[in-house]
Amino acid sequence: MTKKEPVRCQEVTDYIAAISDTWKVEVSERLRELVHSTIPDVSERLQYKKPHFLKNGKYAAVISVAKSAVSFTIFNADGLDWPEALFEGPPERKTIKITSGQQVDYDALGSLLKQASDEL
């Protein structure tokens, strides 16, 4: 059985390519890869001028680039054990704000994303 290549949305590719700061591009690309490697058959689209990732038609994650950070929001977060120092937001969705030079544990982030998206 061969592994399917993830389906990429050109609008999301263009969104990431248009980001002015190199570190934000790198973080956004890494987060996009993380979503595709964590959630089989995830779909992506540009909505509200931000990349949204959906599983079975339901929001799984969003990347949002701001002046000082790249935010990554994970949906369906209720009931999971979140590191409070890193994440903010209501129980149903949690957001981490990644700043320039910040060390990010992408494996731990992927684990949280997998747990949250498994129920979608």
Side-chain angles (χ1 to χ4, degrees), residues 8-46:
R8 305 269 190 235
C9 169
Q10 187 61 45
E11 288 181 308
V12 172
T13 300
D14 294 345
Y15 172 91
I16 293 173
I19 299 169
S20 57
D21 295 320
T22 305
W23 73 268
K24 291 178 189 171
V25 172
E26 291 169 358
V27 168
S28 297
E29 286 176 344
R30 183 97 186 253
L31 290 170
R32 186 184 194 188
E33 290 303 318
L34 177 76
V35 171
H36 280 283
S37 65
T38 303
I39 307 173
D41 300 322
V42 70
S43 63
E44 61 178 35
R45 67 180 178 212
L46 199 64

mmCIF file of all heavy atoms in Angstrom, residues 8-46:
data_model
loop_
_atom_site.group_PDB
_atom_site.id
_atom_site.type_symbol
_atom_site.label_atom_id
_atom_site.label_comp_id
_atom_site.label_asym_id
_atom_site.label_seq_id
_atom_site.Cartn_x
_atom_site.Cartn_y
_atom_site.Cartn_z
ATOM 1 N N ARG A 8 -2.835 19.585 -1.172
ATOM 2 C CA ARG A 8 -2.494 20.963 -0.810
ATOM 3 C C ARG A 8 -3.422 21.932 -1.548
ATOM 4 O O ARG A 8 -3.705 21.752 -2.718
ATOM 5 C CB ARG A 8 -1.055 21.276 -1.219
ATOM 6 C CG ARG A 8 -0.049 20.313 -0.646
ATOM 7 C CD ARG A 8 0.451 20.813 0.672
ATOM 8 N NE ARG A 8 1.584 20.020 1.103
ATOM 9 C CZ ARG A 8 1.640 19.418 2.267
ATOM 10 N NH1 ARG A 8 0.642 19.512 3.104
ATOM 11 N NH2 ARG A 8 2.691 18.733 2.614
ATOM 12 N N CYS A 9 -3.832 22.955 -0.845
ATOM 13 C CA CYS A 9 -4.651 24.019 -1.424
ATOM 14 C C CYS A 9 -3.712 25.134 -1.880
ATOM 15 O O CYS A 9 -2.904 25.623 -1.084
ATOM 16 C CB CYS A 9 -5.645 24.517 -0.368
ATOM 17 S SG CYS A 9 -6.502 26.027 -0.813
ATOM 18 N N GLN A 10 -3.815 25.525 -3.140
ATOM 19 C CA GLN A 10 -2.926 26.558 -3.672
ATOM 20 C C GLN A 10 -3.059 27.875 -2.905
ATOM 21 O O GLN A 10 -2.079 28.578 -2.691
ATOM 22 C CB GLN A 10 -3.190 26.781 -5.165
ATOM 23 C CG GLN A 10 -2.184 27.711 -5.831
ATOM 24 C CD GLN A 10 -0.751 27.198 -5.764
ATOM 25 O OE1 GLN A 10 -0.489 26.029 -6.018
ATOM 26 N NE2 GLN A 10 0.188 28.064 -5.378
ATOM 27 N N GLU A 11 -4.269 28.194 -2.458
ATOM 28 C CA GLU A 11 -4.469 29.432 -1.690
ATOM 29 C C GLU A 11 -3.673 29.413 -0.387
ATOM 30 O O GLU A 11 -3.134 30.441 0.030
ATOM 31 C CB GLU A 11 -5.948 29.644 -1.377
ATOM 32 C CG GLU A 11 -6.778 30.047 -2.566
ATOM 33 C CD GLU A 11 -8.237 30.255 -2.175
ATOM 34 O OE1 GLU A 11 -8.822 29.343 -1.552
ATOM 35 O OE2 GLU A 11 -8.772 31.322 -2.485
ATOM 36 N N VAL A 12 -3.589 28.256 0.263
ATOM 37 C CA VAL A 12 -2.808 28.143 1.502
ATOM 38 C C VAL A 12 -1.319 28.258 1.178
ATOM 39 O O VAL A 12 -0.577 28.948 1.882
ATOM 40 C CB VAL A 12 -3.133 26.833 2.250
ATOM 41 C CG1 VAL A 12 -2.183 26.630 3.421
ATOM 42 C CG2 VAL A 12 -4.580 26.844 2.726
ATOM 43 N N THR A 13 -0.887 27.621 0.099
ATOM 44 C CA THR A 13 0.507 27.731 -0.331
ATOM 45 C C THR A 13 0.856 29.194 -0.599
ATOM 46 O O THR A 13 1.901 29.685 -0.160
ATOM 47 C CB THR A 13 0.743 26.885 -1.602
ATOM 48 O OG1 THR A 13 0.430 25.518 -1.299
ATOM 49 C CG2 THR A 13 2.184 26.982 -2.080
ATOM 50 N N ASP A 14 -0.026 29.909 -1.301
ATOM 51 C CA ASP A 14 0.202 31.325 -1.604
ATOM 52 C C ASP A 14 0.220 32.179 -0.340
ATOM 53 O O ASP A 14 1.025 33.105 -0.217
ATOM 54 C CB ASP A 14 -0.876 31.849 -2.559
ATOM 55 C CG ASP A 14 -0.802 31.195 -3.935
ATOM 56 O OD1 ASP A 14 0.221 30.551 -4.255
ATOM 57 O OD2 ASP A 14 -1.795 31.302 -4.681
ATOM 58 N N TYR A 15 -0.667 31.865 0.613
ATOM 59 C CA TYR A 15 -0.728 32.590 1.887
ATOM 60 C C TYR A 15 0.625 32.491 2.604
ATOM 61 O O TYR A 15 1.184 33.494 3.051
ATOM 62 C CB TYR A 15 -1.841 32.008 2.760
ATOM 63 C CG TYR A 15 -1.883 32.533 4.178
ATOM 64 C CD1 TYR A 15 -2.645 33.653 4.508
ATOM 65 C CD2 TYR A 15 -1.178 31.905 5.203
ATOM 66 C CE1 TYR A 15 -2.698 34.135 5.805
ATOM 67 C CE2 TYR A 15 -1.224 32.378 6.510
ATOM 68 C CZ TYR A 15 -1.981 33.488 6.802
ATOM 69 O OH TYR A 15 -2.025 33.959 8.098
ATOM 70 N N ILE A 16 1.156 31.283 2.691
ATOM 71 C CA ILE A 16 2.429 31.076 3.391
ATOM 72 C C ILE A 16 3.564 31.756 2.625
ATOM 73 O O ILE A 16 4.428 32.392 3.224
ATOM 74 C CB ILE A 16 2.694 29.573 3.620
ATOM 75 C CG1 ILE A 16 1.655 29.021 4.618
ATOM 76 C CG2 ILE A 16 4.115 29.333 4.126
ATOM 77 C CD1 ILE A 16 1.682 27.520 4.805
ATOM 78 N N ALA A 17 3.538 31.663 1.299
ATOM 79 C CA ALA A 17 4.594 32.278 0.487
ATOM 80 C C ALA A 17 4.604 33.800 0.609
ATOM 81 O O ALA A 17 5.647 34.434 0.438
ATOM 82 C CB ALA A 17 4.417 31.867 -0.971
ATOM 83 N N ALA A 18 3.462 34.396 0.927
ATOM 84 C CA ALA A 18 3.353 35.855 1.020
ATOM 85 C C ALA A 18 3.772 36.411 2.380
ATOM 86 O O ALA A 18 3.844 37.628 2.558
ATOM 87 C CB ALA A 18 1.912 36.281 0.715
ATOM 88 N N ILE A 19 4.066 35.542 3.335
ATOM 89 C CA ILE A 19 4.482 35.997 4.669
ATOM 90 C C ILE A 19 5.864 36.642 4.551
ATOM 91 O O ILE A 19 6.766 36.087 3.921
ATOM 92 C CB ILE A 19 4.504 34.815 5.671
ATOM 93 C CG1 ILE A 19 3.105 34.213 5.813
ATOM 94 C CG2 ILE A 19 5.057 35.256 7.019
ATOM 95 C CD1 ILE A 19 3.077 32.896 6.570
ATOM 96 N N SER A 20 6.030 37.798 5.174
ATOM 97 C CA SER A 20 7.266 38.568 4.975
ATOM 98 C C SER A 20 8.451 38.074 5.815
ATOM 99 O O SER A 20 9.590 38.168 5.382
ATOM 100 C CB SER A 20 7.014 40.044 5.238
ATOM 101 O OG SER A 20 6.507 40.230 6.545
ATOM 102 N N ASP A 21 8.219 37.585 7.011
ATOM 103 C CA ASP A 21 9.328 37.172 7.880
ATOM 104 C C ASP A 21 9.662 35.697 7.674
ATOM 105 O O ASP A 21 8.790 34.833 7.772
ATOM 106 C CB ASP A 21 8.971 37.391 9.355
ATOM 107 C CG ASP A 21 8.781 38.857 9.692
ATOM 108 O OD1 ASP A 21 9.574 39.684 9.171
ATOM 109 O OD2 ASP A 21 7.860 39.183 10.455
ATOM 110 N N THR A 22 10.941 35.425 7.423
ATOM 111 C CA THR A 22 11.391 34.066 7.143
ATOM 112 C C THR A 22 11.011 33.097 8.264
ATOM 113 O O THR A 22 10.551 31.985 8.000
ATOM 114 C CB THR A 22 12.925 34.040 6.937
ATOM 115 O OG1 THR A 22 13.255 34.970 5.913
ATOM 116 C CG2 THR A 22 13.410 32.667 6.535
ATOM 117 N N TRP A 23 11.187 33.499 9.521
ATOM 118 C CA TRP A 23 10.888 32.583 10.629
ATOM 119 C C TRP A 23 9.403 32.235 10.664
ATOM 120 O O TRP A 23 9.039 31.107 11.005
ATOM 121 C CB TRP A 23 11.382 33.137 11.972
ATOM 122 C CG TRP A 23 10.589 34.274 12.534
ATOM 123 C CD1 TRP A 23 10.810 35.604 12.348
ATOM 124 C CD2 TRP A 23 9.428 34.188 13.375
ATOM 125 N NE1 TRP A 23 9.863 36.342 13.025
ATOM 126 C CE2 TRP A 23 9.008 35.511 13.664
ATOM 127 C CE3 TRP A 23 8.705 33.114 13.919
ATOM 128 C CZ2 TRP A 23 7.903 35.781 14.461
ATOM 129 C CZ3 TRP A 23 7.609 33.390 14.715
ATOM 130 C CH2 TRP A 23 7.207 34.712 14.977
ATOM 131 N N LYS A 24 8.544 33.176 10.295
ATOM 132 C CA LYS A 24 7.107 32.903 10.276
ATOM 133 C C LYS A 24 6.755 31.927 9.155
ATOM 134 O O LYS A 24 5.879 31.083 9.322
ATOM 135 C CB LYS A 24 6.308 34.199 10.116
ATOM 136 C CG LYS A 24 6.379 35.115 11.322
ATOM 137 C CD LYS A 24 5.602 36.399 11.056
ATOM 138 C CE LYS A 24 5.829 37.427 12.136
ATOM 139 N NZ LYS A 24 5.265 38.730 11.783
ATOM 140 N N VAL A 25 7.428 32.056 8.026
ATOM 141 C CA VAL A 25 7.233 31.119 6.917
ATOM 142 C C VAL A 25 7.639 29.711 7.376
ATOM 143 O O VAL A 25 6.902 28.738 7.169
ATOM 144 C CB VAL A 25 8.055 31.537 5.672
ATOM 145 C CG1 VAL A 25 7.998 30.450 4.594
ATOM 146 C CG2 VAL A 25 7.559 32.858 5.117
ATOM 147 N N GLU A 26 8.812 29.603 8.009
ATOM 148 C CA GLU A 26 9.310 28.300 8.468
ATOM 149 C C GLU A 26 8.354 27.666 9.479
ATOM 150 O O GLU A 26 8.045 26.476 9.393
ATOM 151 C CB GLU A 26 10.711 28.446 9.061
ATOM 152 C CG GLU A 26 11.751 28.771 8.014
ATOM 153 C CD GLU A 26 13.098 29.188 8.593
ATOM 154 O OE1 GLU A 26 13.242 29.262 9.836
ATOM 155 O OE2 GLU A 26 14.002 29.457 7.790
ATOM 156 N N VAL A 27 7.872 28.453 10.445
ATOM 157 C CA VAL A 27 6.945 27.934 11.455
ATOM 158 C C VAL A 27 5.635 27.507 10.793
ATOM 159 O O VAL A 27 5.109 26.415 11.066
ATOM 160 C CB VAL A 27 6.694 28.970 12.578
ATOM 161 C CG1 VAL A 27 5.522 28.557 13.463
ATOM 162 C CG2 VAL A 27 7.949 29.164 13.413
ATOM 163 N N SER A 28 5.115 28.323 9.884
ATOM 164 C CA SER A 28 3.849 28.021 9.209
ATOM 165 C C SER A 28 3.964 26.751 8.374
ATOM 166 O O SER A 28 3.070 25.896 8.395
ATOM 167 C CB SER A 28 3.414 29.190 8.327
ATOM 168 O OG SER A 28 3.166 30.332 9.111
ATOM 169 N N GLU A 29 5.079 26.599 7.652
ATOM 170 C CA GLU A 29 5.283 25.391 6.853
ATOM 171 C C GLU A 29 5.401 24.163 7.752
ATOM 172 O O GLU A 29 4.862 23.098 7.444
ATOM 173 C CB GLU A 29 6.518 25.533 5.970
ATOM 174 C CG GLU A 29 6.286 26.466 4.798
ATOM 175 C CD GLU A 29 7.526 26.696 3.947
ATOM 176 O OE1 GLU A 29 8.654 26.398 4.406
ATOM 177 O OE2 GLU A 29 7.365 27.195 2.820
ATOM 178 N N ARG A 30 6.099 24.317 8.854
ATOM 179 C CA ARG A 30 6.271 23.189 9.782
ATOM 180 C C ARG A 30 4.919 22.783 10.387
ATOM 181 O O ARG A 30 4.616 21.595 10.508
ATOM 182 C CB ARG A 30 7.257 23.610 10.882
ATOM 183 C CG ARG A 30 7.601 22.537 11.869
ATOM 184 C CD ARG A 30 8.901 21.852 11.491
ATOM 185 N NE ARG A 30 9.146 20.734 12.365
ATOM 186 C CZ ARG A 30 10.058 20.720 13.321
ATOM 187 N NH1 ARG A 30 10.813 21.769 13.537
ATOM 188 N NH2 ARG A 30 10.221 19.654 14.067
ATOM 189 N N LEU A 31 4.103 23.775 10.748
ATOM 190 C CA LEU A 31 2.777 23.482 11.297
ATOM 191 C C LEU A 31 1.892 22.810 10.249
ATOM 192 O O LEU A 31 1.164 21.869 10.552
ATOM 193 C CB LEU A 31 2.115 24.769 11.812
ATOM 194 C CG LEU A 31 2.734 25.372 13.068
ATOM 195 C CD1 LEU A 31 2.163 26.750 13.328
ATOM 196 C CD2 LEU A 31 2.544 24.459 14.279
ATOM 197 N N ARG A 32 1.970 23.277 9.013
ATOM 198 C CA ARG A 32 1.179 22.671 7.930
ATOM 199 C C ARG A 32 1.576 21.208 7.744
ATOM 200 O O ARG A 32 0.722 20.334 7.622
ATOM 201 C CB ARG A 32 1.413 23.466 6.639
ATOM 202 C CG ARG A 32 0.541 23.030 5.475
ATOM 203 C CD ARG A 32 0.909 23.805 4.230
ATOM 204 N NE ARG A 32 -0.080 23.692 3.181
ATOM 205 C CZ ARG A 32 0.114 24.165 1.962
ATOM 206 N NH1 ARG A 32 1.232 24.801 1.649
ATOM 207 N NH2 ARG A 32 -0.829 24.018 1.041
ATOM 208 N N GLU A 33 2.880 20.949 7.725
ATOM 209 C CA GLU A 33 3.362 19.565 7.600
ATOM 210 C C GLU A 33 2.891 18.719 8.788
ATOM 211 O O GLU A 33 2.511 17.562 8.617
ATOM 212 C CB GLU A 33 4.890 19.531 7.505
ATOM 213 C CG GLU A 33 5.438 20.064 6.212
ATOM 214 C CD GLU A 33 4.890 19.351 4.991
ATOM 215 O OE1 GLU A 33 4.767 18.115 5.009
ATOM 216 O OE2 GLU A 33 4.549 20.036 4.012
ATOM 217 N N LEU A 34 2.943 19.314 9.972
ATOM 218 C CA LEU A 34 2.506 18.615 11.177
ATOM 219 C C LEU A 34 1.049 18.184 11.053
ATOM 220 O O LEU A 34 0.702 17.039 11.355
ATOM 221 C CB LEU A 34 2.686 19.528 12.398
ATOM 222 C CG LEU A 34 2.198 18.956 13.728
ATOM 223 C CD1 LEU A 34 3.194 17.929 14.239
ATOM 224 C CD2 LEU A 34 2.013 20.059 14.737
ATOM 225 N N VAL A 35 0.198 19.088 10.591
ATOM 226 C CA VAL A 35 -1.224 18.760 10.426
ATOM 227 C C VAL A 35 -1.386 17.614 9.435
ATOM 228 O O VAL A 35 -2.093 16.636 9.702
ATOM 229 C CB VAL A 35 -2.037 19.999 9.972
ATOM 230 C CG1 VAL A 35 -3.458 19.603 9.597
ATOM 231 C CG2 VAL A 35 -2.051 21.058 11.061
ATOM 232 N N HIS A 36 -0.713 17.710 8.301
ATOM 233 C CA HIS A 36 -0.866 16.673 7.269
ATOM 234 C C HIS A 36 -0.300 15.329 7.713
ATOM 235 O O HIS A 36 -0.844 14.281 7.354
ATOM 236 C CB HIS A 36 -0.222 17.130 5.958
ATOM 237 C CG HIS A 36 -1.086 18.068 5.185
ATOM 238 N ND1 HIS A 36 -2.171 17.663 4.444
ATOM 239 C CD2 HIS A 36 -1.042 19.424 5.060
ATOM 240 C CE1 HIS A 36 -2.746 18.709 3.885
ATOM 241 N NE2 HIS A 36 -2.091 19.793 4.256
ATOM 242 N N SER A 37 0.762 15.341 8.504
ATOM 243 C CA SER A 37 1.337 14.066 8.959
ATOM 244 C C SER A 37 0.556 13.472 10.131
ATOM 245 O O SER A 37 0.626 12.278 10.383
ATOM 246 C CB SER A 37 2.806 14.248 9.348
ATOM 247 O OG SER A 37 2.932 15.101 10.457
ATOM 248 N N THR A 38 -0.202 14.308 10.840
ATOM 249 C CA THR A 38 -0.937 13.859 12.022
ATOM 250 C C THR A 38 -2.357 13.403 11.704
ATOM 251 O O THR A 38 -2.855 12.453 12.304
ATOM 252 C CB THR A 38 -1.001 14.995 13.070
ATOM 253 O OG1 THR A 38 0.329 15.405 13.382
ATOM 254 C CG2 THR A 38 -1.694 14.549 14.337
ATOM 255 N N ILE A 39 -3.006 14.090 10.761
ATOM 256 C CA ILE A 39 -4.414 13.810 10.464
ATOM 257 C C ILE A 39 -4.539 13.257 9.042
ATOM 258 O O ILE A 39 -4.421 14.005 8.076
ATOM 259 C CB ILE A 39 -5.274 15.088 10.594
ATOM 260 C CG1 ILE A 39 -5.072 15.750 11.958
ATOM 261 C CG2 ILE A 39 -6.750 14.756 10.364
ATOM 262 C CD1 ILE A 39 -5.746 17.099 12.089
ATOM 263 N N PRO A 40 -4.775 11.947 8.920
ATOM 264 C CA PRO A 40 -4.952 11.381 7.584
ATOM 265 C C PRO A 40 -6.173 12.002 6.903
ATOM 266 O O PRO A 40 -7.176 12.287 7.552
ATOM 267 C CB PRO A 40 -5.190 9.894 7.840
ATOM 268 C CG PRO A 40 -4.777 9.656 9.255
ATOM 269 C CD PRO A 40 -4.904 10.972 9.970
ATOM 270 N N ASP A 41 -6.070 12.251 5.619
ATOM 271 C CA ASP A 41 -7.178 12.781 4.813
ATOM 272 C C ASP A 41 -7.668 14.149 5.259
ATOM 273 O O ASP A 41 -8.824 14.500 5.027
ATOM 274 C CB ASP A 41 -8.355 11.788 4.773
ATOM 275 C CG ASP A 41 -7.950 10.454 4.165
ATOM 276 O OD1 ASP A 41 -7.162 10.481 3.194
ATOM 277 O OD2 ASP A 41 -8.394 9.417 4.656
ATOM 278 N N VAL A 42 -6.808 14.932 5.917
ATOM 279 C CA VAL A 42 -7.194 16.290 6.293
ATOM 280 C C VAL A 42 -7.353 17.121 5.020
ATOM 281 O O VAL A 42 -6.667 16.893 4.026
ATOM 282 C CB VAL A 42 -6.149 16.929 7.247
ATOM 283 C CG1 VAL A 42 -4.845 17.240 6.531
ATOM 284 C CG2 VAL A 42 -6.694 18.178 7.916
ATOM 285 N N SER A 43 -8.280 18.051 5.044
ATOM 286 C CA SER A 43 -8.402 18.985 3.924
ATOM 287 C C SER A 43 -8.046 20.371 4.438
ATOM 288 O O SER A 43 -8.159 20.656 5.629
ATOM 289 C CB SER A 43 -9.809 18.962 3.331
ATOM 290 O OG SER A 43 -10.757 19.396 4.276
ATOM 291 N N GLU A 44 -7.581 21.201 3.533
ATOM 292 C CA GLU A 44 -7.196 22.545 3.925
ATOM 293 C C GLU A 44 -7.831 23.543 2.975
ATOM 294 O O GLU A 44 -8.099 23.246 1.814
ATOM 295 C CB GLU A 44 -5.673 22.702 3.949
ATOM 296 C CG GLU A 44 -4.993 22.465 2.612
ATOM 297 C CD GLU A 44 -3.486 22.673 2.657
ATOM 298 O OE1 GLU A 44 -2.838 22.360 3.677
ATOM 299 O OE2 GLU A 44 -2.951 23.154 1.650
ATOM 300 N N ARG A 45 -8.086 24.743 3.524
ATOM 301 C CA ARG A 45 -8.628 25.817 2.700
ATOM 302 C C ARG A 45 -8.312 27.147 3.373
ATOM 303 O O ARG A 45 -8.080 27.203 4.577
ATOM 304 C CB ARG A 45 -10.129 25.651 2.498
ATOM 305 C CG ARG A 45 -10.960 25.830 3.763
ATOM 306 C CD ARG A 45 -12.430 25.652 3.461
ATOM 307 N NE ARG A 45 -13.224 25.776 4.656
ATOM 308 C CZ ARG A 45 -14.355 25.129 4.861
ATOM 309 N NH1 ARG A 45 -14.817 24.300 3.954
ATOM 310 N NH2 ARG A 45 -15.040 25.316 5.965
ATOM 311 N N LEU A 46 -8.312 28.181 2.550
ATOM 312 C CA LEU A 46 -8.141 29.522 3.081
ATOM 313 C C LEU A 46 -9.526 30.064 3.394
ATOM 314 O O LEU A 46 -10.385 30.128 2.521
ATOM 315 C CB LEU A 46 -7.426 30.415 2.059
ATOM 316 C CG LEU A 46 -6.791 31.666 2.632
ATOM 317 C CD1 LEU A 46 -5.670 31.322 3.603
ATOM 318 C CD2 LEU A 46 -6.240 32.542 1.514
#
